[in-house]
Amino acid sequence: MNMFVRLRTRKKSFIIVGVIIAIVLLSTYGILYILTPYSGFARSIIWGDSDIKDYEKFPFRTIENAPPIFHFSNMEFPDTNNATPFLSSTLLGNIIPNAEGGAENFDKFLASTRTTAFIVIKDDKILYEKYFNGYQRDSIGTSFSIAKSITSALIGIAIDEGLIASIDDPITKYIPELKERDTRFGNITIKNLLTMSSGLRYVEEGLPWSDDTTTYYDTELRSLALSSKVEESPGKRFHYNNYNPLLLGMILERATHKPVSQYLEDKIWKPLGMDAHASWSLDSDASGFEKMESGINARAIDFAKIGRLFLNNGNWNGKQVISENWVNESTRPDTSTDPAPFYQYMWWVHPLSEDSTRYNFYAAGNYGQFIYVIPEKNIVIVRHGYGSEYDNWTDLFKQLGLMI
């Protein structure tokens, strides 16, 4: 009998301990949830990994569009449920893994790779535009690191307007407090930030306090950028680093005297006649700073217009929105001045020949977001998705360009 009493007492103790642990965990979760507007650490725990619907979690600043709206050919009333002549070809089977070809298999391939939007445009004509996995033409997609390429474009425009003197300016000309903390910041130029060769320390560990996590979730991104540390001399090594776009955002703010999203609205979103308003996610309401390394949220078709702008060397229907020289420097392989020929001013370069005289270029973001430009064929391809087990998108885009 005593043994049964002891077992029952022990069982009660386990239950009590379990209830206490549950209460502590739920209380901790509740506290962290309440703190998400104010704490990057709380966000990393509660929100977890980034997601294509993070624009619903972060505060944001609206980016207005303006008439006249630009339409690609036959865009007023697109029938996105029917295959176009371009995709009726069985040649598609040559680029789809384990497929027999044809438009139907291509659609299945896109849906199975967690694609949400896929658009192919040639000579301003939509050859293919379809949406998958619950998405439609008016659905919003977040850009992730495509925002870096757009940030680069804004730097080019600010230089065109004389608001920023030169790409070779030291960043301390615009952010002098960095040099006060470490004189080595005076050796870092705007170009070093654009080419991911700033020499700043950056550690990706997947932990709540790692640089990759803090630059995504922190609620005071300006302060975080100002706390960055110089690790090596600039211009020597390519090191993908989210402090670089944050510092570029601060430079844009100070040079233009307006929020970065407002500058994007004035200089690109309205002039290009985007289909709809967009937004740029902010670090917090209190700070009000664009996330810079990601967070431009818009329709896929409007991202295609960014591709068209760069395809046409910065010219939009006769107006030079960005200088041709800037577009060329941003998207061509250059080993003479930059440490990585495959990455220029926050645009990736995809060579088509060994001597790099022929190449495509693209903006890319997490989960397989792409704006892929094929200059030789006058083609822009946009792919959005919420993930992908498929790792060869750029080769697929290149093959599509060869087929068309």
Side-chain angles (χ1 to χ4, degrees), residues 29-287:
Y29 181 89
I31 292 170
L32 289 173
Y33 184 85
I34 293 171
L35 289 176
T36 52
Y38 318 103
S39 168
F41 178 81
R43 289 173 172 178
S44 68
I45 299 299
I46 300 301
W47 294 351
D49 291 339
S50 60
D51 183 86
I52 63 169
K53 291 194 175 182
D54 276 354
Y55 64 87
E56 297 176 347
K57 302 172 184 175
F58 286 98
F60 61 88
R61 187 170 285 120
T62 300
I63 302 166
E64 303 278 352
N65 67 337
I69 304 302
F70 173 80
H71 296 286
F72 293 102
S73 296
N74 304 318
M75 280 183 60
E76 283 88 346
F77 304 99
D79 183 357
T80 57
N81 294 317
N82 295 325
T84 62
F86 159 62
L87 282 181
S88 65
S89 171
T90 57
L91 288 175
L92 283 171
N94 296 327
I95 64 169
I96 304 171
N98 303 317
E100 296 179 357
E104 183 179 352
N105 282 328
F106 190 65
D107 291 351
K108 289 179 179 178
F109 166 74
L110 292 177
S112 69
T113 53
R114 298 195 281 178
T115 298
T116 57
F118 199 92
I119 305 172
V120 181
I121 298 168
K122 177 178 171 61
D123 299 326
D124 285 346
K125 297 178 181 178
I126 297 176
L127 301 184
Y128 180 85
E129 180 186 11
K130 283 197 176 183
Y131 301 90
F132 306 90
N133 296 302
Y135 279 70
Q136 305 295 331
R137 171 182 267 218
D138 61 358
S139 297
I140 298 298
T142 195
S143 65
F144 293 103
S145 288
I146 285 176
K148 294 181 175 70
S149 304
I150 296 174
T151 295
S152 167
L154 295 178
I155 291 288
I157 293 172
I159 290 175
D160 292 341
E161 295 185 325
L163 300 176
I164 294 174
S166 169
I167 195 174
D168 296 316
D169 280 352
I171 63 175
T172 51
K173 177 178 178 180
Y174 304 90
I175 316 175
E177 57 266 46
L178 286 172
K179 194 171 184 179
E180 295 171 4
R181 185 165 62 81
D182 186 337
T183 57
R184 292 179 295 174
F185 277 103
N187 299 321
I188 302 173
T189 65
I190 293 174
K191 185 174 184 178
N192 294 145
L193 299 182
L194 289 166
T195 58
M196 294 292 180
S197 62
S198 62
L200 296 178
R201 183 178 184 272
Y202 192 81
V203 180
E204 299 182 49
E205 296 174 332
L207 299 172
W209 50 84
S210 68
D211 292 321
D212 210 39
T213 304
T214 56
T215 54
Y216 190 78
Y217 281 131
D218 200 271
T219 59
E220 291 282 349
L221 289 176
R222 293 187 194 87
S223 297
L224 184 69
L226 291 174
S227 72
S228 58
K229 297 178 175 61
V230 178
E231 185 174 57
E232 59 186 350
S233 298
K236 303 298 183 184
R237 182 172 70 95
F238 174 84
H239 184 190
Y240 199 82
N241 184 327
N242 282 337
Y243 288 118
N244 296 330
L246 293 180
L247 292 169
L248 287 172
M250 293 181 67
I251 292 170
L252 281 168
E253 277 188 327
R254 296 182 181 190
T256 65
H257 304 290
K258 60 179 64 176
V260 180
S261 52
Q262 181 65 56
Y263 197 58
L264 171 60
E265 175 182 300
D266 294 343
K267 301 302 175 180
I268 293 180
W269 219 256
K270 286 183 176 180
L272 267 56
M274 297 300 194
D275 273 35
H277 301 333
S279 68
W280 203 327
S281 298
L282 306 176
D283 53 1
S284 64
D285 284 321
S287 172

